[in-house]
Coordinates of all heavy atoms in Angstrom, one line a residue:
Chain A
R2 N 6.2 -7.5 23.3 CA 6.5 -7.9 21.9 C 7.9 -8.3 21.8 O 8.9 -7.5 22.2 CB 6.3 -6.6 21.0 CG 6.1 -6.9 19.6 CD 7.2 -6.7 18.7 NE 6.9 -6.8 17.3 CZ 7.7 -7.0 16.4 NH1 9.0 -7.0 16.6 NH2 7.3 -7.1 15.1
R3 N 8.1 -9.5 21.4 CA 9.6 -10.0 21.3 C 10.0 -9.7 19.8 O 9.2 -9.6 18.9 CB 9.5 -11.5 21.5 CG 9.2 -11.8 23.0 CD 9.1 -13.3 23.2 NE 8.0 -13.9 22.5 CZ 7.7 -15.2 22.3 NH1 8.6 -16.0 22.9 NH2 6.7 -15.7 21.7
I5 N 12.6 -10.5 16.4 CA 13.5 -11.4 15.7 C 14.8 -10.6 15.5 O 14.9 -9.8 14.5 CB 12.8 -11.8 14.4 CG1 11.5 -12.5 14.6 CG2 13.8 -12.7 13.6 CD1 10.8 -12.9 13.4
E18 N 23.0 -5.9 5.5 CA 23.7 -7.1 4.8 C 22.6 -7.9 4.2 O 22.7 -8.4 3.1 CB 24.6 -7.8 5.8 CG 25.4 -8.9 5.1 CD 26.1 -9.8 6.1 OE1 26.1 -9.6 7.3 OE2 26.6 -10.8 5.6
D211 N -8.0 1.8 25.6 CA -8.7 1.1 24.6 C -9.6 2.0 23.8 O -10.1 1.6 22.7 CB -9.5 0.0 25.2 CG -8.6 -1.2 25.7 OD1 -7.4 -1.2 25.4 OD2 -9.2 -2.1 26.4
E213 N -8.8 5.2 23.0 CA -8.0 6.3 22.5 C -7.2 6.0 21.2 O -6.8 4.9 20.9 CB -6.9 6.7 23.5 CG -7.5 7.3 24.8 CD -6.3 7.7 25.7 OE1 -5.2 7.1 25.6 OE2 -6.5 8.5 26.7
E271 N -6.9 -3.5 6.4 CA -7.2 -2.2 7.0 C -6.8 -1.0 6.1 O -7.6 -0.1 6.0 CB -6.3 -2.2 8.3 CG -6.7 -3.2 9.3 CD -5.9 -3.2 10.6 OE1 -4.7 -3.2 10.5 OE2 -6.5 -3.1 11.7
R277 N -10.4 3.2 0.5 CA -11.8 3.2 0.0 C -12.5 4.5 0.5 O -13.0 5.3 -0.3 CB -12.5 2.0 0.5 CG -14.1 2.1 0.2 CD -14.7 0.8 0.8 NE -16.2 0.9 0.8 CZ -16.9 1.5 1.7 NH1 -16.4 2.1 2.7 NH2 -18.2 1.6 1.6
H281 N -13.8 7.8 -1.7 CA -15.2 8.4 -1.7 C -15.3 9.8 -1.3 O -16.0 10.6 -1.9 CB -16.0 7.4 -0.8 CG -16.3 6.1 -1.3 ND1 -16.7 5.9 -2.6 CD2 -16.2 4.8 -0.8 CE1 -16.9 4.6 -2.9 NE2 -16.6 3.9 -1.7
H305 N 1.1 0.2 14.9 CA -0.2 -0.1 14.3 C -0.9 1.2 14.1 O -1.4 1.9 14.9 CB -1.1 -1.0 15.2 CG -2.4 -1.3 14.6 ND1 -3.5 -1.7 15.3 CD2 -2.8 -1.3 13.3 CE1 -4.5 -1.9 14.5 NE2 -4.1 -1.7 13.2
Chain B
R2 N -5.8 -5.9 20.6 CA -5.5 -5.4 19.4 C -6.7 -4.9 18.7 O -7.6 -5.6 18.5 CB -4.8 -6.4 18.4 CG -4.0 -5.8 17.3 CD -4.7 -5.9 16.0 NE -3.7 -5.5 14.9 CZ -4.2 -5.1 13.7 NH1 -5.4 -5.1 13.4 NH2 -3.3 -4.8 12.8
R3 N -6.8 -3.6 18.5 CA -8.0 -3.0 17.9 C -7.8 -3.0 16.4 O -6.7 -3.0 15.9 CB -8.3 -1.6 18.4 CG -8.6 -1.6 19.9 CD -8.7 -0.1 20.4 NE -7.3 0.5 20.4 CZ -7.2 1.8 20.6 NH1 -8.2 2.6 20.9 NH2 -5.9 2.3 20.6
E18 N -13.1 -3.3 -2.6 CA -13.4 -2.1 -3.3 C -12.2 -1.1 -3.2 O -11.9 -0.5 -4.2 CB -14.7 -1.5 -2.8 CG -15.2 -0.2 -3.5 CD -16.3 0.5 -2.7 OE1 -16.8 0.0 -1.7 OE2 -16.6 1.6 -3.2
D211 N 6.3 -16.2 27.1 CA 7.4 -15.4 26.6 C 8.5 -16.1 26.1 O 9.4 -15.6 25.4 CB 7.8 -14.4 27.7 CG 6.7 -13.3 28.0 OD1 5.8 -13.3 27.2 OD2 6.9 -12.6 29.0
E213 N 8.3 -19.0 24.4 CA 7.9 -20.0 23.5 C 7.8 -19.5 22.1 O 7.4 -18.3 21.9 CB 6.5 -20.5 23.8 CG 6.4 -21.5 25.0 CD 5.0 -22.0 25.3 OE1 4.0 -21.3 24.8 OE2 4.9 -22.9 26.1
E271 N 13.6 -7.2 10.7 CA 13.6 -8.6 11.2 C 13.7 -9.6 10.0 O 14.4 -10.5 10.1 CB 12.2 -8.9 11.9 CG 12.1 -8.1 13.2 CD 10.8 -8.3 13.9 OE1 9.7 -8.2 13.3 OE2 10.8 -8.6 15.2
R277 N 19.5 -12.8 5.9 CA 21.0 -12.9 6.0 C 21.5 -14.2 6.4 O 22.3 -14.9 5.9 CB 21.4 -11.8 7.0 CG 22.9 -11.9 7.4 CD 23.1 -10.8 8.5 NE 24.5 -10.9 9.0 CZ 24.8 -11.7 10.0 NH1 23.9 -12.4 10.6 NH2 26.0 -11.8 10.5
H281 N 23.8 -17.1 4.5 CA 25.0 -17.6 5.0 C 25.0 -19.2 5.1 O 25.9 -19.9 4.8 CB 25.3 -17.0 6.3 CG 25.8 -15.6 6.2 ND1 26.7 -15.1 5.3 CD2 25.4 -14.4 7.0 CE1 26.9 -13.8 5.4 NE2 26.1 -13.4 6.5
H305 N 2.8 -12.2 14.1 CA 4.2 -11.9 14.1 C 4.9 -13.1 13.9 O 5.1 -13.9 14.9 CB 4.6 -11.2 15.4 CG 6.0 -10.8 15.5 ND1 6.6 -10.6 16.7 CD2 6.9 -10.5 14.6 CE1 7.9 -10.2 16.5 NE2 8.1 -10.2 15.2

Side-chain angles (χ1 to χ4, degrees):
Chain A
R2 201 258 187 196
R3 298 173 291 171
I5 301 176
E18 184 192 353
D211 289 350
E213 286 180 345
E271 297 179 306
R277 172 183 172 274
H281 288 315
H305 181 203
Chain B
R2 201 256 187 199
R3 297 174 290 172
E18 184 192 353
D211 289 349
E213 286 180 345
E271 297 180 306
R277 171 183 172 273
H281 288 315
H305 182 202

